[in-house]
């Protein structure tokens, strides 16, 4: 999933209502984050991934080069046209095994379905609070059974939709009390990455059964006594690799990635060498100040699973001008490729657009400026699993 | 002034030097100089004017949502953009046989601040201000009826049906989102692109 940071990246004033911590810790002191405690040293991780083009002949290296050389072959969305041709805003995209695209539109609050050739099939949803309606849909994923799962950030719930003939029927709504979630599925389970308001210490990854019951939680959270900072800096993104049987998790604002087994056992830790986190000040009154415009900084925008056990990570690099004026989301978007089994990674480059899904031969990217458009790329997967 | 005397020549040279030095100094930015912009007052001939009437049937409504306390809602370019977009939306309504309404929402706590803020954006058929995020317009177009991104400034265009404008029983129903643009960048981009909107359903004629 690619985090569009719908609100934080807009030149707009937004509500803080969905980010307040439930706690107000006593005796707080002013603190500067991220702390060294939360960023392991290079020696303490399994892999440190540099920001330079890889030279090597392993499948990892070859795949990285092939991704950077991907060629655009099509697009969906128009500046002006019919309702179906004009996308409101791309929030997320999921793919089906047959090449079907499920586009989550954050302005029209609906799921738009396109066939493998990019032709519009149908849409469902709409703005609202009732069945099949969304308030602020942010993430979509598809499980092995073909169900669609959509996280509605404003409702604090994800909705499950099952296919019935040619349409989708809402079968379940599962509430979670979390902010900024991300989803992926593996072996029939749903892995929800989010910081639980009021109880963030339980873990950052929450496992739900196929019927939507919370089974357990695991995963690293940001360590601090400051509740607001802990909640905010615990946010992150997640990707599930079926081939590697690994859940890869990372924080938006920290350089570290973690690989877990489906049961929550830590397999590896990796780190991005060139990542510069922005400074967050924890205030004594419980609030937090984000020094976005102080220096250049990075933020993990999203992760996407790639067939045969790989994960693509995209990191946005922002200058102070980007963060203050918000005319550009970022100055550069860096892509890294990791082997989900081991955590080994290489730098792909900065030429790829925001990527939402990758199949064996297609990259599904999306941009919202100058107008929302899905961009479809072709690449040649070298085959061969990650070790 | 005659330059044939030595004294006058020196005065002249001195004056040129002072002028030149000051010019270079100011041009280089070393000397702080005030920025002055001159704007000709534009004619209000093309300004949006409410119809001060309502008619039953399809209506296109243009909703601006902002706040006096929001820095992005107070960008100097925004009032002009919103005024242009109002006129553009009205043309779209007229070409599709719909009536039109411009609605201003200021999610200020202090009513007077909200009214002052909306005043910058020209005239509206209807305004709502007060109660911050509990403002009825904010609730309607960002949280309840047509939920979307809770952020300002924002522009929402909706297609709806007005009922009972002949005083037999007022109502607005079947409100559907046509366009939503959030943030100054999206609003500006949309205006630059000509404010494209998906085609509206044709209005049934009386014989249908």
């Amino acid at each position: 999933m690619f985090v569009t940071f719908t609100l934080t990246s807009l030149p707009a004033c937004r509500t803080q209502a969905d980010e307040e911590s439930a706690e107000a810790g006593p005796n707080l002191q002013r603190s500067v984050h991220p702390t060294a405690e939360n960023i392991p040293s290079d020696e303490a991780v399994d892999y440190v991934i540099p920001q330079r083009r890889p030279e090597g002949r392993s499948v990892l290296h070859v795949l990285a080069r092939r991704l950077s050389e991907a060629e655009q072959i099509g697009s969906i969305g128009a500046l002006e046209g019919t309702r179906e041709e004009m996308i409101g805003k791309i929030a997320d995209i999921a793919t089906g095994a047959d090449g079907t695209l499920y586009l989550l539109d954050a302005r029209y609050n609906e799921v738009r379905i396109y066939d493998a050739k990019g032709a519009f099939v149908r849409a469902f949803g709409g703005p609202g609070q009732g069945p099949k309606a969304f308030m602020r849909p942010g993430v979509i994923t598809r499980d092995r059974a073909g169900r669609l799962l959509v996280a509605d950030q404003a409702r604090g719930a994800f909705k499950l939709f099952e296919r019935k003939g040619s349409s989708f029927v809402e079968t379940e709504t599962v509430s979670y009390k979390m902010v900024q979630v991300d989803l992926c599925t593996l072996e029939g389970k749903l892995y929800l990455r989010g910081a639980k308001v009021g109880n963030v210490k339980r873990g950052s990854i929450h496992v739900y059964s196929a019927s939507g019951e919370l089974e357990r939680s695991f995963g690293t959270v940001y360590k601090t006594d400051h509740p607001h900072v802990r909640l905010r800096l615990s946010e992150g993104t997640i990707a599930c690799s079926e081939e590697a049987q690994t859940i890869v998790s990372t924080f938006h604002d920290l350089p570290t990635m973690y690989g877990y087994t489906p049961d929550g056992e830590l397999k590896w830790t990796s780190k991005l060498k060139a990542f510069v986190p922005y400074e967050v000040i924890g205030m004594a009154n419980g609030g937090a100040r984000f020094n976005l415009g102080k220096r250049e900084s990075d933020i993990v925008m999203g992760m996407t699973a790639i067939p045969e056990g790989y994960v693509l990570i995209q990191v946005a690099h922002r200058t102070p001008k980007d963060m203050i004026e918000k005319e550009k989301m970022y100055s550069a978007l860096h892509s890294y490729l990791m082997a989900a089994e081991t955590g080994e990674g290489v730098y792909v480059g900065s030429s790829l657009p925001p990527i939402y899904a990758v199949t064996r031969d297609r990259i599904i990217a999306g941009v919202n400026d100058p107008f929302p458009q899905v961009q479809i790329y072709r690449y040649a997967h070298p085959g061969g699993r990650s070790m | 002034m005659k330059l044939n005397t030595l004294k006058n020549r020196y005065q002249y040279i001195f004056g040129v030097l002072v002028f030149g030095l000051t010019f270079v100094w100011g041009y280089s930015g070393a000397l702080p100089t005030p920025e002055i912009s001159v704007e000709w007052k534009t004619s209000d001939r093309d300004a949006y004017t409410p119809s001060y009437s309502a008619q039953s049937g399809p209506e296109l409504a243009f909703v601006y949502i902002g706040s006096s306390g929001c820095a992005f809602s107070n960008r100097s370019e925004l009032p002009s953009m919103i005024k242009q977009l109002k006129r553009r939306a009205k043309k779209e309504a007229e070409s599709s046989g719909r009536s039109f309404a411009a609605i201003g929402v200021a999610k200020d706590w202090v009513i007077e601040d909200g009214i002052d803020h909306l005043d910058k954006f020209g005239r509206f058929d209807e305004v709502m201000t007060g109660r911050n995020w509990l403002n009825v317009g904010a609730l309607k177009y960002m949280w309840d009826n047509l939920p979307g991104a809770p952020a300002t400034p924002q522009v929402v265009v909706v297609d709806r049906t007005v009922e009972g404008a002949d005083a037999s029983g007022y109502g607005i129903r079947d409100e559907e989102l046509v366009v939503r643009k959030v943030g100054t960048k999206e609003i500006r981009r949309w205006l630059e692109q000509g404010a494209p909107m998906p085609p509206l359903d044709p209005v049934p004629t009386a014989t249908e």
Side-chain angles (χ1 to χ4, degrees), chain A residues 7 10-15 79-83 86 89 107-109 127-129 134-136 325-327 369-370, chain B residues 70-72 75 143-144 146-152 177-178 180 182-186 188-189 193 196 198-199:
Chain A
L7 300 181
L10 285 173
C13 307
R14 65 189 182 107
T15 179
L79 171 62
E80 192 161 4
T82 64
R83 173 74 156 75
M86 296 177 75
K89 183 161 188 168
R107 289 285 180 260
Y108 293 111
N109 292 25
Q129 300 187 39
F134 305 108
M135 289 186 70
R136 196 160 13 114
E325 294 181 2
K326 296 186 180 177
E327 289 299 310
D369 193 46
Chain B
C70 167
F72 296 104
R75 286 252 172 107
W143 294 104
D144 286 346
L146 287 173
T152 56
L177 179 69
V178 177
R180 186 190 301 269
V182 183
T184 49
K185 182 183 165 188
E186 273 189 28
R188 185 195 319 119
R189 188 74 85 217
Q193 293 166 345

Side-chain angles (χ1 to χ4, degrees), chain A residues 338-354:
Chain A
M338 294 182 64
E341 179 64 38
T342 61
E344 183 185 1
V346 295
Y347 180 59
V348 175
S350 58
S351 63
L352 291 173

Side-chain angles (χ1 to χ4, degrees), chain A residues 295-369:
Chain A
R295 63 181 186 199
E296 297 194 1
S297 62
D298 298 304
I299 191 163
V300 176
M301 296 295 273
M303 287 203 295
T304 309
I306 297 180
E308 303 296 349
Y310 300 94
V311 170
L312 186 80
I313 299 166
Q314 294 192 292
V315 176
H317 181 75
R318 303 169 305 171
T319 64
K321 190 177 178 200
D322 294 337
M323 291 181 276
I324 291 170
E325 294 181 2
K326 296 186 180 177
E327 289 299 310
K328 279 193 308 176
M329 277 181 71
Y330 45 78
S331 290
L333 188 64
H334 298 289
S335 298
Y336 297 84
L337 180 69
M338 294 182 64
E341 179 64 38
T342 61
E344 183 185 1
V346 295
Y347 180 59
V348 175
S350 58
S351 63
L352 291 173
I355 291 173
Y356 292 87
V358 182
T359 66
R360 281 209 64 85
D361 61 351
R362 296 279 188 270
I363 296 173
I364 311 300
V367 294
N368 284 303
D369 193 46

